Amino acid sequence: MVIIFKAGTTSQIVAEILETLTSHNLSAFLIHDKTNMIIGVQGDHKIISQLLNDHPAIEKIKSISTSYQLVSRDAIPENTKVSVGKVVVGDKKVIVIGGPCAIESREQLFETATAVKEAGAHGLRGGAFKSRTSPYYFQGLGVAGLKLLHEVSQALDMPFVSEVIEADDVAVMARFATALQVGTRNMQNYRLLKELGRVKKPVLLKRGMSATIEEFLLAAEYIISEGNPNVILCERGIRTFEPTTRNTLDLAAVPYLKMHSHLPVIVDPSHGTGMSELVIPMSKAAIACGADGLLIEVHHHPKEALSDGRQSLNPQQFARLMNEIEPFVAAAGREL
Amino acid sequence: MVIIFKAGTTSQIVAEILETLTSHNLSAFLIHDKTNMIIGVQGDHKIISQLLNDHPAIEKIKSISTSYQLVSRDAIPENTKVSVGKVVVGDKKVIVIGGPCAIESREQLFETATAVKEAGAHGLRGGAFKSRTSPYYFQGLGVAGLKLLHEVSQALDMPFVSEVIEADDVAVMARFATALQVGTRNMQNYRLLKELGRVKKPVLLKRGMSATIEEFLLAAEYIISEGNPNVILCERGIRTFEPTTRNTLDLAAVPYLKMHSHLPVIVDPSHGTGMSELVIPMSKAAIACGADGLLIEVHHHPKEALSDGRQSLNPQQFARLMNEIEPFVAAAGREL
Amino acid sequence: MVIIFKAGTTSQIVAEILETLTSHNLSAFLIHDKTNMIIGVQGDHKIISQLLNDHPAIEKIKSISTSYQLVSRDAIPENTKVSVGKVVVGDKKVIVIGGPCAIESREQLFETATAVKEAGAHGLRGGAFKSRTSPYYFQGLGVAGLKLLHEVSQALDMPFVSEVIEADDVAVMARFATALQVGTRNMQNYRLLKELGRVKKPVLLKRGMSATIEEFLLAAEYIISEGNPNVILCERGIRTFEPTTRNTLDLAAVPYLKMHSHLPVIVDPSHGTGMSELVIPMSKAAIACGADGLLIEVHHHPKEALSDGRQSLNPQQFARLMNEIEPFVAAAGREL
Amino acid sequence: MVIIFKAGTTSQIVAEILETLTSHNLSAFLIHDKTNMIIGVQGDHKIISQLLNDHPAIEKIKSISTSYQLVSRDAIPENTKVSVGKVVVGDKKVIVIGGPCAIESREQLFETATAVKEAGAHGLRGGAFKSRTSPYYFQGLGVAGLKLLHEVSQALDMPFVSEVIEADDVAVMARFATALQVGTRNMQNYRLLKELGRVKKPVLLKRGMSATIEEFLLAAEYIISEGNPNVILCERGIRTFEPTTRNTLDLAAVPYLKMHSHLPVIVDPSHGTGMSELVIPMSKAAIACGADGLLIEVHHHPKEALSDGRQSLNPQQFARLMNEIEPFVAAAGREL
């Protein structure tokens, strides 16, 4: 259920109503702190109505029929725009974020980041803490990698996103990264999601590789219901019987999510296909069906990458991607 | 293995070589009967080379590393263009085929077909023989439906495609339909595929709902290796764990198929998603990633459809689809 | 809906009622032609009740809530017992059917069949017509193979089951084989199913590799609603993301099917796992959860098999299987 | 690669060799600290051989061909036996662990635990910290629930296992619980796995719902390579297209895991099917194919359960399970 306020309601009044609800042991959350103040609340519609009845500041109390509430477009009809540094995701611009899967060294990062920026990317991506299937695979540079990312990001004046793999790391990540990514294996790490709900940093939430769309939205609900509305959804492919591609990129999820949620949606065609030659066509397709952005793996020497080289573009291919998606961005009535 | 001939080789010489091969008990097939005469042959490379050695008409004998041979782009580098009546699939034009899932009556068909044509569709689709999960569901009008389709097709001067569900029906279908469709449940009905290989009618081959891309190409190989090169591949969604959409539309299969095969590829976003509101965005995405055409379910009154109403567009929505895909067709450097 | 008759009702009365129903354009089918005469009928409960009201031979008219009707245990509470020659499937005995995937030669078949019989198997299996993914794989010996099977079956006094891959072949198959198998790729070949419904031969229906349990039961319904109640269901593994095993053997389907249907259920652990070393443990598991029988691939020299050698037991392993399952058969309160 | 020592080698010598390896920057781990001292080591075989060459205590240096090493039966041929309090998992006895999905109250827990013990169960299960799809579902009693479990466990003299959902909680869980469970959503929470590798408590590792068998074994490798060899694998069903059952119980994984790993394997048919009526038949099947134990959800009033009531047995059904599995335990040559 959501409580929507009349235009001009002060935040003090909203805070009082929130207090009324929580003092009656109702689970209530404030979202969208500026223009659209809304309270999400769990509980019996009748009891809540009686409690708040006739409050002059309340526009309406609305039941949401889906299991997810605060992420629902029924609750908040307008698109949420998430600011990642100076970049806004979910607005007219299609945002492209590029960079290596894992940070390997200062040279690798600088070289790739510079190329990515020159090609026109809006943001940088890179993994410092890696979540790997085998304990014997490269696990990332850790805090050292994070600091490198921060340094490069400052030098190039580009925001960056990096994966956080545990609740304990949220604080250090939040200090350095512009946005925090939740990886596919952690989409249902609810402790981590709750911790991310308590910081105000933007969160890039990747869909679990075997998560349904409903579970994906409920994972976002975990973050938002803790108080952080800055969530970007990322479709990155699901696990199916098909062995040709690494995952099956579920692009139909993009328009579905845009219809049923107000959150921005971006697509990762690199993990979504696992094959560099499919990244450009699937980037075009993602934009055509309404994606707000792309997350692309770029590596200076894909064949020497310590992780996921098979799906990485080299800088020349990335520049080609930026060129080739342009007419599709325009066809979608958007800008690059 | 494929045998490629020099330009100017007469069909008589090719026939002689074919005869040489088959008289040595080698399984050999002629494909692409006009400009690019090619023989596909199974067997030991060395034996075949010795047999044909130094024949002046042979350009080269080429081994194909994949399990599929004749459908492979390694065998035939140029795009195959399949003529469906006056319409060519696999050329510059993006082809849109629309119509009802099942033919229900003359009025329904005329009304829908006229609307589809007025909106700019190139071809008509409609099921006369239906393959249904339950014996108690509507099974189609059969030959009567087929004749209706033929009548409407003639009246509107539009080619049409209709599903054939058994080898025995190929002859009657071939007499009336412009192109014959193999449904998802029949993709591995090899008798049917072989029978279709023996007629010259174009075949629209739908991917099995749990077929891998390799199995899909091998199904096409069954048709082509019997002598019919006119195969159009159709991605229509695969079965996964995701319950939100009826199937998971595997759009990455489109560029993959275009890279590894010379056959045209179209997309069916109606069955691929099962939700009419996702058909337009996924049509755009299909075109953006390289599809040669679309197969769209249209029904005059979707809510009253005897089959698959939930995923059908009404004529107004179909007209909107034709308008909205236009800029994406242009962005792809193609025409509508 | 099913119409159940009182004990002692003559088949003439039942035939009259069937006539009444069909003369009113209702789709009605007679099943279980001896002790339990039952009519399955589609249509409005009220109309049917009025039509037949107070007929003294009718015990009750029962609505079945599932999409499948005649295969439902709600319709027929007792287990159906299917006779395959002298062997009864669905009774106290656990039936084991063994033999090669494909018939390759008289020696191979005789040798394997003799070994299988000596080890205690009740029936023989073998493919004459093969349904293969690639047109270049061995496609079976056809009618010649079928005749070999018939000859060996006579010589060893063992019933045999063989796959039928097209409606047109049903007649010839029915002349030679004791039971006709529908393969996984044909589970939704509805023409074939209907044709099998018109012969009285037992049908061994394999689950489609991506068929839900409901679709599996509806496929059986196709056969039974045409008049042939002699259907044996066979779980043979489904297609999932797991690459280790060839398929994922869905053993939970066995007790589910036994609860919701009156048909016998057997298990094929050879295709279900694709690994010979898993066949014995999964055979035990199948019996433990209620399977009425096993279908096992046996080959004299698995490594030289023209088809599916990786999953075949050799005769020694098959003899071990027969020994090792014995205590589990006893634990299940059954006999071998 | 694993280094196997001769019988009688002292732990001091092993420690010296471990020191030699790690001082050369090789990643090396000691496992099986009593009778079978083994060192797992990553790196170049030749370098390691040179480094240790001719050391008189070394029996052999063995390469393991799979991605997983220390969990492999190639590395350690004998079954690992894991002690959970007085109960040993992986020995002759088939171990049954029963209890509620979530701890709801002292009465519920006492009543259910007493019934479970009386019926003959060896261990108790119960969730204090719950990992739930929606933030609005019951999240468990937390530490209070854990203390209740501890109290009941002491009172009834039964070991208990409970889920740990974050690395931070490992310490508190290890203080109270006899064994720590990793839930399906956390199978790839590598930080949690590493933390569990540093305590000596037994770990019950559930397979991720979309994890391959190889990924499952690599998750166990994470724990063991940190020094804790006490890992019990638990098959609990995988996510497939089949909607009838909650998950598809992949029982073939049981014999596969037993063949390729030395770790004990138990089965959870409650989550594996999601339907209480399938729990008994699938328990029998699990034992028949080699499972070392069962994990069963039991609730005093399943219909009122705050979590997963649909799949819980009531105490009478659980007692029936214990009776009915007995002949299958005997058939498997084991004890209950």
Side-chain angles (χ1 to χ4, degrees):
Chain A
M1 211 168 310
V2 293
I3 298 165
I4 296 157
F5 295 95
K6 290 180 182 156
T9 305
T10 62
S11 53
Q12 199 192 324
I13 290 171
V14 174
E16 282 167 20
I17 289 173
L18 194 61
E19 168 62 21
T20 304
L21 292 165
T22 51
S23 70
H24 283 79
N25 284 321
L26 292 160
S27 180
F29 322 96
L30 178 64
I31 48 173
H32 265 225
D33 52 351
K34 271 168 292 181
T35 47
N36 310 299
M37 273 180 301
I38 288 177
I39 287 176
V41 58
Q42 291 296 111
D44 186 77
H45 192 292
K46 213 170 143 193
I47 292 170
I48 293 165
S49 295
Q50 282 174 340
L51 209 60
L52 305 178
N53 212 2
D54 296 329
H55 193 296
I58 294 176
E59 176 82 30
K60 65 177 160 190
I61 301 177
K62 196 176 174 185
S63 283
I64 308 296
S65 62
T66 48
S67 57
Y68 45 88
Q69 302 273 311
L70 306 178
V71 302
S72 162
R73 203 174 269 283
D74 272 359
I76 300 176
E78 297 88 45
N79 286 340
T80 286
K81 295 167 190 171
V82 177
S83 295
V84 179
K86 294 176 308 185
V87 172
V88 180
V89 185
D91 208 347
K92 202 176 183 190
K93 237 179 172 166
V94 171
I95 302 303
V96 183
I97 302 166
C101 182
I103 306 304
E104 297 162 12
S105 70
R106 167 177 270 115
E107 295 75 42
Q108 171 236 25
L109 184 59
F110 252 109
E111 211 171 330
T112 302
T114 307
V116 155
K117 167 139 192 170
E118 275 170 11
H122 309 92
L124 183 64
R125 55 150 293 159
F129 297 94
K130 299 300 299 173
S131 183
R132 303 300 302 274
T133 314
S134 165
Y136 310 125
Y137 292 164
F138 176 58
Q139 309 270 320
L141 297 180
V143 176
L146 192 59
K147 286 181 179 168
L148 272 181
L149 271 163
H150 184 66
E151 179 191 335
V152 173
S153 157
Q154 295 287 100
L156 298 177
D157 191 24
M158 265 181 124
F160 80 96
V161 60
S162 193
E163 186 174 344
V164 55
I165 59 176
E166 199 184 19
D168 276 1
D169 298 339
V170 169
V172 68
M173 289 293 300
R175 198 148 63 90
F176 290 106
T178 331
L180 279 63
Q181 179 181 313
V182 178
T184 189
R185 292 176 185 77
N186 271 321
M187 193 205 82
Q188 295 189 310
N189 183 337
Y190 299 121
R191 278 285 176 91
L192 175 60
L193 300 181
K194 285 183 184 174
E195 194 63 32
L196 288 167
R198 290 179 205 120
V199 296
K200 292 293 167 203
K201 286 277 174 172
V203 177
L204 196 163
L205 179 66
K206 285 198 155 188
R207 182 178 179 182
M209 69 181 79
S210 72
T212 64
I213 292 176
E214 188 185 13
E215 290 167 345
F216 189 18
L217 286 170
L218 283 167
E221 187 90 9
Y222 261 98
I223 300 170
I224 298 185
S225 67
E226 291 289 330
N228 182 358
N230 303 302
V231 178
I232 301 162
L233 302 172
C234 180
E235 161 61 32
R236 48 77 69 206
I238 56 173
R239 187 164 267 193
T240 71
F241 65 82
E242 172 60 71
T244 310
T245 43
R246 183 176 177 185
N247 291 287
T248 296
L249 191 64
D250 182 14
L251 279 190
V254 175
Y256 187 91
L257 288 167
K258 295 294 292 180
M259 286 172 196
H260 293 85
S261 173
H262 51 87
L263 297 175
V265 180
I266 71 170
V267 170
D268 173 354
S270 305
H271 286 87
T273 64
M275 299 169 83
S276 58
E277 62 270 39
L278 298 180
V279 170
I280 294 181
M282 297 319 285
S283 293
K284 295 172 181 173
I287 291 164
C289 67
D292 295 305
L294 299 169
L295 192 68
I296 307 288
E297 280 195 6
V298 185
H299 193 280
H300 220 73
H301 302 292
K303 286 181 186 163
E304 297 161 19
L306 294 182
S307 169
D308 290 344
R310 178 66 186 88
Q311 69 199 31
S312 293
L313 300 187
N314 64 31
Q316 292 70 39
Q317 291 167 326
F318 183 72
R320 190 153 68 78
L321 177 143
M322 292 303 290
N323 278 332
E324 290 198 16
I325 61 172
E326 215 173 352
F328 294 93
V329 170
R334 305 182 74 157
E335 290 162 9
L336 198 57
Chain B
M1 211 168 313
V2 292
I3 298 165
I4 296 158
F5 296 95
K6 289 182 184 155
T9 305
T10 63
S11 52
Q12 201 192 321
I13 290 172
V14 174
E16 282 167 20
I17 290 174
L18 194 62
E19 169 62 23
T20 306
L21 292 166
T22 52
S23 70
H24 283 79
N25 284 321
L26 291 160
S27 179
F29 321 95
L30 177 64
I31 48 172
H32 264 224
D33 52 351
K34 271 168 292 181
T35 46
N36 311 299
M37 274 180 300
I38 288 177
I39 286 176
V41 57
Q42 291 297 111
D44 186 76
H45 193 292
K46 213 170 144 192
I47 293 170
I48 292 166
S49 295
Q50 284 174 339
L51 209 60
L52 305 179
N53 213 4
D54 296 328
H55 193 295
I58 293 177
E59 176 80 31
K60 66 177 157 190
I61 301 177
K62 195 175 176 186
S63 283
I64 308 295
S65 62
T66 48
S67 57
Y68 46 89
Q69 301 273 311
L70 306 178
V71 302
S72 162
R73 202 175 270 283
D74 271 0
I76 301 176
E78 298 87 46
N79 286 341
T80 286
K81 295 168 191 171
V82 177
S83 293
V84 180
K86 296 176 307 186
V87 172
V88 181
V89 185
D91 206 347
K92 202 176 181 190
K93 236 178 173 165
V94 171
I95 302 304
V96 183
I97 301 167
C101 182
I103 306 305
E104 296 163 12
S105 70
R106 167 176 272 114
E107 295 77 41
Q108 174 236 23
L109 184 59
F110 252 109
E111 211 171 330
T112 303
T114 308
V116 155
K117 167 139 192 169
E118 275 170 12
H122 310 92
L124 183 63
R125 56 151 291 160
F129 297 94
K130 300 300 299 173
S131 184
R132 303 300 302 274
T133 315
S134 164
Y136 309 126
Y137 292 165
F138 176 59
Q139 307 270 320
L141 296 181
V143 176
L146 193 58
K147 287 182 178 168
L148 272 181
L149 271 163
H150 184 66
E151 180 192 336
V152 173
S153 157
Q154 296 287 102
L156 298 178
D157 191 25
M158 265 182 123
F160 79 95
V161 59
S162 194
E163 186 174 345
V164 54
I165 59 177
E166 200 186 18
D168 277 359
D169 298 339
V170 169
V172 69
M173 289 293 301
R175 197 148 62 91
F176 290 106
T178 331
L180 279 63
Q181 178 180 313
V182 178
T184 190
R185 291 176 185 78
N186 271 323
M187 193 206 81
Q188 295 189 310
N189 183 337
Y190 299 121
R191 278 284 176 91
L192 175 60
L193 300 180
K194 285 182 184 175
E195 194 63 33
L196 288 167
R198 290 178 206 122
V199 297
K200 292 291 169 205
K201 286 277 173 172
V203 177
L204 195 164
L205 178 66
K206 286 198 154 188
R207 180 177 182 184
M209 68 182 81
S210 72
T212 63
I213 290 175
E214 189 185 12
E215 290 167 345
F216 189 19
L217 287 170
L218 283 167
E221 188 89 10
Y222 261 97
I223 300 170
I224 297 184
S225 67
E226 290 289 330
N228 182 359
N230 303 302
V231 178
I232 302 162
L233 302 172
C234 179
E235 161 61 31
R236 49 76 68 205
I238 56 173
R239 188 164 266 193
T240 70
F241 66 81
E242 172 61 72
T244 310
T245 44
R246 184 176 176 183
N247 290 287
T248 296
L249 191 64
D250 181 14
L251 279 190
V254 175
Y256 187 92
L257 288 167
K258 296 294 293 179
M259 286 171 195
H260 293 85
S261 173
H262 50 87
L263 297 175
V265 181
I266 69 169
V267 171
D268 173 354
S270 305
H271 285 87
T273 64
M275 299 169 83
S276 58
E277 61 270 37
L278 299 180
V279 170
I280 294 181
M282 297 319 285
S283 293
K284 296 173 182 173
I287 291 164
C289 67
D292 295 304
L294 299 170
L295 191 68
I296 307 287
E297 279 195 6
V298 186
H299 194 280
H300 219 72
H301 302 292
K303 286 182 185 163
E304 296 161 20
L306 293 183
S307 171
D308 289 345
R310 177 69 186 85
Q311 71 198 31
S312 294
L313 300 188
N314 64 32
Q316 291 69 39
Q317 291 167 327
F318 181 72
R320 190 153 70 76
L321 177 142
M322 292 302 292
N323 278 332
E324 291 197 15
I325 61 173
E326 215 173 353
F328 294 93
V329 170
R334 304 183 74 159
E335 289 162 11
L336 198 58
Chain C
M1 210 169 310
V2 292
I3 298 165
I4 296 156
F5 294 94
K6 290 180 181 156
T9 304
T10 63
S11 54
Q12 200 192 323
I13 288 172
V14 174
E16 282 168 20
I17 289 173
L18 195 60
E19 169 63 21
T20 305
L21 292 166
T22 52
S23 70
H24 283 78
N25 285 318
L26 291 160
S27 180
F29 322 96
L30 177 64
I31 48 173
H32 265 224
D33 51 352
K34 269 168 294 182
T35 46
N36 310 299
M37 272 180 302
I38 287 177
I39 287 175
V41 57
Q42 290 298 111
D44 186 77
H45 193 293
K46 214 170 142 191
I47 292 170
I48 293 166
S49 296
Q50 282 173 341
L51 209 59
L52 305 178
N53 213 4
D54 296 329
H55 193 295
I58 294 177
E59 174 83 29
K60 66 178 157 190
I61 301 177
K62 195 175 176 184
S63 284
I64 308 296
S65 61
T66 48
S67 57
Y68 45 88
Q69 302 272 312
L70 306 178
V71 302
S72 163
R73 202 174 270 283
D74 271 0
I76 300 175
E78 296 87 46
N79 286 341
T80 286
K81 295 167 190 172
V82 177
S83 294
V84 180
K86 294 177 308 186
V87 172
V88 181
V89 185
D91 207 349
K92 203 177 182 190
K93 236 178 172 164
V94 171
I95 302 303
V96 184
I97 301 167
C101 182
I103 306 304
E104 296 163 12
S105 70
R106 167 177 270 113
E107 296 75 43
Q108 171 235 25
L109 184 59
F110 252 109
E111 210 171 331
T112 303
T114 307
V116 155
K117 167 140 191 169
E118 276 171 10
H122 310 92
L124 183 63
R125 56 151 292 159
F129 297 94
K130 300 300 299 172
S131 184
R132 303 299 303 272
T133 314
S134 165
Y136 310 125
Y137 292 165
F138 176 58
Q139 308 270 320
L141 297 180
V143 176
L146 193 58
K147 287 181 178 166
L148 272 181
L149 271 163
H150 183 68
E151 179 191 336
V152 174
S153 157
Q154 296 287 102
L156 298 178
D157 190 26
M158 264 183 124
F160 79 96
V161 59
S162 194
E163 186 174 344
V164 55
I165 62 176
E166 200 186 17
D168 277 0
D169 298 339
V170 169
V172 68
M173 289 293 301
R175 197 147 64 90
F176 290 106
T178 332
L180 280 62
Q181 179 180 312
V182 178
T184 189
R185 291 176 186 77
N186 271 322
M187 192 204 81
Q188 296 190 311
N189 184 337
Y190 299 121
R191 278 282 178 92
L192 175 60
L193 300 181
K194 284 183 185 175
E195 194 64 33
L196 288 167
R198 290 180 205 119
V199 296
K200 293 292 167 206
K201 286 277 174 173
V203 177
L204 195 163
L205 177 67
K206 286 198 155 189
R207 182 178 179 183
M209 69 182 80
S210 73
T212 63
I213 291 176
E214 188 185 12
E215 290 167 346
F216 189 19
L217 287 170
L218 283 167
E221 187 89 10
Y222 261 97
I223 300 169
I224 297 185
S225 67
E226 290 289 330
N228 182 357
N230 302 303
V231 179
I232 301 162
L233 303 172
C234 179
E235 162 60 32
R236 51 75 70 205
I238 57 172
R239 187 164 268 193
T240 71
F241 65 83
E242 173 61 72
T244 309
T245 44
R246 183 177 178 183
N247 290 287
T248 296
L249 190 64
D250 182 13
L251 278 190
V254 176
Y256 187 92
L257 288 168
K258 296 293 293 178
M259 286 172 196
H260 292 86
S261 173
H262 49 88
L263 297 174
V265 180
I266 70 170
V267 170
D268 174 354
S270 305
H271 286 87
T273 64
M275 299 169 82
S276 59
E277 62 270 38
L278 299 180
V279 170
I280 294 181
M282 298 319 286
S283 293
K284 295 173 183 174
I287 291 164
C289 67
D292 295 305
L294 300 170
L295 192 67
I296 307 287
E297 280 195 6
V298 185
H299 194 279
H300 219 74
H301 302 291
K303 283 181 189 165
E304 297 161 19
L306 294 183
S307 172
D308 289 345
R310 178 68 186 87
Q311 69 199 32
S312 293
L313 300 188
N314 64 32
Q316 292 70 39
Q317 291 166 326
F318 182 73
R320 190 153 68 76
L321 177 142
M322 292 303 290
N323 278 333
E324 291 198 16
I325 61 172
E326 215 172 353
F328 294 93
V329 170
R334 304 183 74 157
E335 291 162 9
L336 198 57
Chain D
M1 210 168 311
V2 293
I3 298 164
I4 296 157
F5 295 94
K6 291 181 180 154
T9 305
T10 63
S11 53
Q12 200 191 324
I13 290 171
V14 174
E16 282 166 20
I17 290 174
L18 194 62
E19 169 62 21
T20 305
L21 293 165
T22 52
S23 71
H24 284 78
N25 284 319
L26 292 159
S27 180
F29 321 94
L30 177 63
I31 48 172
H32 265 224
D33 51 352
K34 269 169 295 181
T35 46
N36 310 300
M37 272 179 303
I38 288 177
I39 286 176
V41 58
Q42 292 297 112
D44 186 77
H45 193 293
K46 213 170 143 191
I47 293 170
I48 293 166
S49 295
Q50 283 175 339
L51 208 61
L52 305 179
N53 213 4
D54 297 328
H55 193 294
I58 293 177
E59 175 82 31
K60 67 177 156 190
I61 301 177
K62 194 176 178 186
S63 283
I64 308 295
S65 62
T66 48
S67 57
Y68 45 89
Q69 301 274 312
L70 306 178
V71 303
S72 162
R73 201 174 270 284
D74 271 0
I76 301 176
E78 298 88 44
N79 286 340
T80 286
K81 295 168 190 170
V82 177
S83 294
V84 180
K86 295 176 306 186
V87 172
V88 181
V89 185
D91 208 347
K92 202 177 182 190
K93 235 179 172 163
V94 171
I95 301 303
V96 184
I97 302 167
C101 182
I103 306 305
E104 296 163 12
S105 69
R106 166 176 271 115
E107 294 77 41
Q108 172 237 22
L109 183 59
F110 252 109
E111 211 171 330
T112 303
T114 307
V116 155
K117 167 140 192 169
E118 276 171 10
H122 310 91
L124 182 64
R125 56 151 292 160
F129 297 94
K130 300 299 299 173
S131 184
R132 302 301 301 274
T133 314
S134 164
Y136 310 126
Y137 292 165
F138 176 58
Q139 308 271 320
L141 296 180
V143 176
L146 192 59
K147 287 182 178 167
L148 271 181
L149 271 162
H150 184 66
E151 180 191 336
V152 172
S153 156
Q154 296 287 101
L156 298 178
D157 191 25
M158 264 181 123
F160 79 96
V161 59
S162 194
E163 185 174 345
V164 54
I165 60 176
E166 200 186 19
D168 276 0
D169 297 339
V170 168
V172 68
M173 288 294 301
R175 196 149 64 90
F176 290 105
T178 331
L180 278 63
Q181 178 180 312
V182 178
T184 189
R185 292 177 187 77
N186 271 322
M187 192 206 81
Q188 295 189 310
N189 183 337
Y190 299 120
R191 278 283 178 89
L192 175 59
L193 299 180
K194 285 183 183 174
E195 193 64 34
L196 288 167
R198 290 179 205 121
V199 296
K200 293 290 169 206
K201 286 278 173 170
V203 177
L204 194 163
L205 178 67
K206 286 198 154 187
R207 181 178 180 183
M209 69 182 80
S210 72
T212 63
I213 291 175
E214 188 185 13
E215 291 167 346
F216 189 20
L217 287 169
L218 283 167
E221 187 89 10
Y222 261 97
I223 300 170
I224 296 184
S225 67
E226 290 289 329
N228 182 358
N230 303 301
V231 178
I232 301 163
L233 302 172
C234 179
E235 160 62 31
R236 50 75 70 204
I238 56 173
R239 187 165 267 191
T240 70
F241 66 81
E242 172 62 71
T244 310
T245 43
R246 185 177 176 182
N247 291 287
T248 295
L249 191 64
D250 181 14
L251 279 190
V254 175
Y256 186 92
L257 288 167
K258 295 294 294 179
M259 287 171 195
H260 293 85
S261 173
H262 51 86
L263 296 175
V265 180
I266 70 170
V267 171
D268 173 354
S270 305
H271 285 87
T273 64
M275 298 168 83
S276 58
E277 61 270 37
L278 298 179
V279 170
I280 293 180
M282 298 319 287
S283 293
K284 296 173 182 173
I287 290 163
C289 66
D292 295 304
L294 300 169
L295 192 67
I296 308 287
E297 280 195 6
V298 185
H299 194 280
H300 219 73
H301 302 291
K303 285 182 187 164
E304 296 162 20
L306 293 183
S307 172
D308 290 344
R310 177 69 186 85
Q311 70 199 31
S312 293
L313 300 187
N314 65 32
Q316 291 71 38
Q317 291 166 327
F318 182 72
R320 188 152 71 76
L321 177 143
M322 293 301 292
N323 278 332
E324 291 198 14
I325 61 172
E326 216 173 352
F328 294 93
V329 170
R334 303 183 75 158
E335 290 162 10
L336 196 58

